[in-house]
Coordinates of all heavy atoms in Angstrom, one line a residue:
A77 N 16.2 9.0 5.7 CA 15.4 10.3 6.0 C 14.4 10.0 7.2 O 13.8 11.0 7.7 CB 14.6 10.7 4.8
G78 N 14.3 8.8 7.7 CA 13.5 8.6 8.9 C 12.1 8.0 8.6 O 11.3 7.9 9.5
F79 N 11.8 7.6 7.4 CA 10.5 7.1 7.0 C 10.2 5.7 7.6 O 11.1 4.9 7.7 CB 10.3 7.1 5.5 CG 9.9 8.4 4.9 CD1 10.9 9.3 4.4 CD2 8.6 8.7 4.8 CE1 10.5 10.5 3.9 CE2 8.2 9.9 4.3 CZ 9.2 10.8 3.8
I80 N 9.0 5.5 8.0 CA 8.5 4.2 8.1 C 8.1 3.7 6.7 O 7.4 4.5 6.0 CB 7.2 4.2 9.0 CG1 7.6 4.6 10.4 CG2 6.5 2.8 9.0 CD1 6.4 4.8 11.4
R81 N 8.7 2.6 6.3 CA 8.5 2.3 4.8 C 8.1 0.9 4.6 O 8.4 0.0 5.4 CB 9.8 2.7 4.0 CG 11.0 1.9 4.3 CD 11.7 2.3 5.6 NE 12.9 1.6 5.8 CZ 13.1 0.4 6.3 NH1 12.0 -0.4 6.6 NH2 14.2 -0.1 6.5
G82 N 7.5 0.7 3.5 CA 7.1 -0.6 3.0 C 7.3 -0.8 1.6 O 7.7 0.2 0.9
V83 N 7.1 -2.0 1.1 CA 7.5 -2.3 -0.3 C 6.3 -2.9 -1.0 O 5.6 -3.6 -0.3 CB 8.8 -3.2 -0.2 CG1 9.2 -3.7 -1.6 CG2 9.9 -2.5 0.5
Y84 N 6.2 -2.7 -2.3 CA 5.0 -3.3 -2.9 C 5.4 -4.1 -4.2 O 6.4 -3.8 -4.8 CB 3.9 -2.3 -3.2 CG 4.1 -1.3 -4.3 CD1 3.7 -1.6 -5.6 CD2 4.5 0.0 -4.0 CE1 3.7 -0.6 -6.6 CE2 4.6 1.0 -5.0 CZ 4.2 0.7 -6.3 OH 4.3 1.6 -7.3
H85 N 4.5 -5.0 -4.5 CA 4.6 -5.9 -5.7 C 3.4 -5.7 -6.6 O 2.3 -5.8 -6.1 CB 4.7 -7.3 -5.2 CG 4.7 -8.3 -6.3 ND1 5.8 -8.7 -7.0 CD2 3.7 -9.1 -6.9 CE1 5.5 -9.6 -7.9 NE2 4.2 -9.8 -7.9
F86 N 3.6 -5.5 -7.9 CA 2.5 -5.4 -8.8 C 2.1 -6.8 -9.3 O 3.0 -7.5 -9.9 CB 3.0 -4.5 -10.0 CG 1.9 -4.2 -11.0 CD1 1.3 -2.9 -10.9 CD2 1.5 -5.1 -11.9 CE1 0.3 -2.6 -11.8 CE2 0.4 -4.7 -12.8 CZ -0.1 -3.5 -12.8
A87 N 0.9 -7.1 -9.1 CA 0.4 -8.5 -9.3 C 0.0 -8.7 -10.8 O -0.7 -7.8 -11.4 CB -0.8 -8.8 -8.4
H88 N 0.4 -9.9 -11.3 CA -0.1 -10.3 -12.6 C -0.8 -11.7 -12.4 O -0.2 -12.6 -11.9 CB 1.0 -10.4 -13.6 CG 1.5 -9.1 -14.1 ND1 0.9 -8.3 -15.0 CD2 2.7 -8.5 -13.8 CE1 1.6 -7.3 -15.2 NE2 2.7 -7.3 -14.5
A89 N -2.0 -11.8 -12.9 CA -2.7 -13.1 -12.7 C -2.2 -14.2 -13.6 O -2.5 -15.4 -13.4 CB -4.2 -12.9 -12.9
D90 N -1.4 -13.8 -14.6 CA -1.0 -14.9 -15.6 C 0.2 -15.7 -15.2 O 0.7 -16.5 -16.0 CB -0.8 -14.2 -16.9 CG 0.3 -13.1 -16.9 OD1 0.9 -12.9 -15.9 OD2 0.5 -12.5 -18.0
S91 N 0.8 -15.5 -14.0 CA 1.8 -16.4 -13.5 C 1.6 -16.7 -12.0 O 0.8 -16.0 -11.3 CB 3.2 -15.9 -13.8 OG 3.5 -14.9 -12.9
S92 N 2.2 -17.8 -11.6 CA 1.9 -18.3 -10.2 C 2.0 -17.3 -9.1 O 3.0 -16.5 -9.0 CB 2.9 -19.5 -10.0 OG 3.2 -19.6 -8.6
A93 N 1.0 -17.3 -8.3 CA 1.0 -16.4 -7.1 C 2.1 -16.7 -6.1 O 2.7 -15.8 -5.6 CB -0.4 -16.5 -6.4
T94 N 2.3 -18.0 -5.9 CA 3.4 -18.3 -4.9 C 4.8 -18.0 -5.5 O 5.6 -17.5 -4.8 CB 3.3 -19.8 -4.5 OG1 3.4 -20.6 -5.7 CG2 2.1 -20.1 -3.7

Side-chain angles (χ1 to χ4, degrees):
F79 277 91
I80 296 173
R81 69 283 184 281
V83 177
Y84 75 88
H85 174 82
F86 187 102
H88 287 286
D90 59 3
S91 73
S92 150
T94 53

